[in-house]
Amino acid sequence: MRDRGEDVLELHVHGGPAVVEAVLAAIPRCFTSPSRVRYAEPGEFTRRAFLNDRLDLTQIEALGDTLSATTEQQRRLSVRGTTNQLARSYETWRQQLLYARGELEALIDFSEDQHFDESPAELASSVAAQVRVLQKRIKAHSANAVRGEMLRNGISIALLGAPNAGKSSLLNRIVGREAAIVSKEAGTTRDVVEVGIDLGGWYCRVGDTAGLRAALMSEYVWTIDAGHEASRAISDIEEEGIRRAKQRALESDVVIVVLSVEPSADGQGVQVRVDPEVTETAASCSRERSNVLVVVNKIDQIREPRHAIMDKWTAQVQAALPEVPPDAIFGISCKDTIDASLANPDPGNIQAFLKGLIGKFGEITSPVVPELGGAAAESDPSIWQESLGATERHRLLLEDCDRHLGDFLSSVSPHGVDTRSSDDSEEGAIDIVVAAESLRAAAECLAKITGKGVAGDIEEVLGVVFE
């Protein structure tokens, strides 16, 4: 039955509970021995498809992703996994390692009886060159698995800014509903308010955070209605909220820094408020991941031509955050969005900002393409799209495989000895047994990803040995 699968009868009935119950009750009466009937367990048909070599583990995981996909990017990611391309790549790498291991073990078993064209050092050097190329591919797949997880589980976004900068208002405009409380009172948000949303086909988890300000001193806040300055000290609750805000920003895939337009000190105009507490945290995020976008909120207060003043403020923002490019800085107005019309469907520039944000999504989820020297065909990014379908389970096994390959390279060239020039002296001797064992462990990691090859590993190696 294994070579052709199993015979299956699949019944499609109307979804009413009474019809389904009647069909289930009639099935046992169709057999002389009711004990011959056993209802399938959850996932059993998929399990039997795997046992009958109809699906491998990577395809089964992709099937699960397909069933749970809620956005277009999640659907595309899962469809890539059903093509079996990932499994074929991992199986090809496993076969390469098995063949290399077979050559080394043949050298161990028959070196005294047979004449080999290559010395142990030369053979190890040849295998090491192949392993280094394979390592680059594995590292790229591992990095792309992390990017694929953003597509699968959602891109984490943090809204970062000073109190009353408009973070909660921006969150409400992005999700299209009143998800966070908006008030003229500074410090309304004390904890992280997280909302899941589909943005342009990407699933995102947007987190509104507490406003950042210096933790050990009061801040002077300009109160427009009252027309005077008022000082407000930081409470223990707000201090904890600030700590959580910084932590969430550092852990997020994308950070949106919200700055605001405030009245100037002389009261004759407006200026953009750049808070050092905000820019320091944003700079840390940008240096590590280059994942920061900046919005200047409340541009509805500008009375002069916006283009000229936005150029000035863009330069000011870049002076504080040099890692942020000009095209990642946007002027918006959460207030103007309610005045949309046919003549100006995006008066607050929120849609323009979202377009830039979605562009950032595409940037951080595009596949990593390794440099493989002469393998020009593999420099095409489309070839590496499939590796985005690698899961967290795959990534952990790929990292284990990479570690074993590193052990192999260390064993064939200890202390930096070049295997190409090593001789059979004691100083240049290579422990072929240890090297072969490292290749075996690496190949086993790849076999665990697809669920194939572990049982037949010994027979395959012997086939190479006796070849």
Side-chain angles (χ1 to χ4, degrees), residues 131-142:
V131 166
R132 291 188 184 96
V133 174
L134 180 56
Q135 261 194 319
K136 291 182 179 180
R137 294 190 175 100
I138 287 175
K139 288 181 185 296
H141 270 247
S142 182

Side-chain angles (χ1 to χ4, degrees), residues 389-436:
T391 65
E392 179 69 6
R393 184 182 72 87
H394 302 167
R395 184 186 67 81
L396 294 175
L397 288 169
L398 287 172
E399 289 182 351
D400 285 344
C401 180
D402 179 49
R403 178 171 53 82
H404 291 305
L405 294 180
D407 293 341
F408 166 80
L409 293 175
S410 297
S411 65
V412 298
S413 55
H415 310 297
V417 176
D418 188 352
T419 56
R420 291 172 295 182
S421 61
S422 298
D423 52 28
D424 292 333
S425 64
E426 184 176 350
E427 182 181 357
I430 297 172
D431 194 334
I432 299 297
V433 175
V434 173

Side-chain angles (χ1 to χ4, degrees), residues 219-280:
E219 178 193 65
Y220 288 97
V221 181
W222 182 265
T223 308
I224 298 176
D225 294 339
H228 64 275
E229 294 181 347
S231 103
R232 181 171 59 84
I234 292 178
S235 66
D236 292 340
I237 295 177
E238 186 179 0
E239 188 172 350
E240 174 62 18
I242 291 174
R243 186 195 67 79
R244 294 187 182 188
K246 293 180 178 180
Q247 185 66 28
R248 172 59 193 271
L250 292 170
E251 294 173 351
S252 295
D253 302 314
V254 176
V255 176
I256 301 173
V257 177
V258 183
L259 306 178
S260 63
V261 174
E262 306 290 351
S264 58
D266 57 10
Q268 301 300 313
V270 293
Q271 61 185 11
V272 62
R273 174 183 173 183
V274 181
D275 193 294
E277 195 75 12
V278 175
T279 55
E280 287 176 12

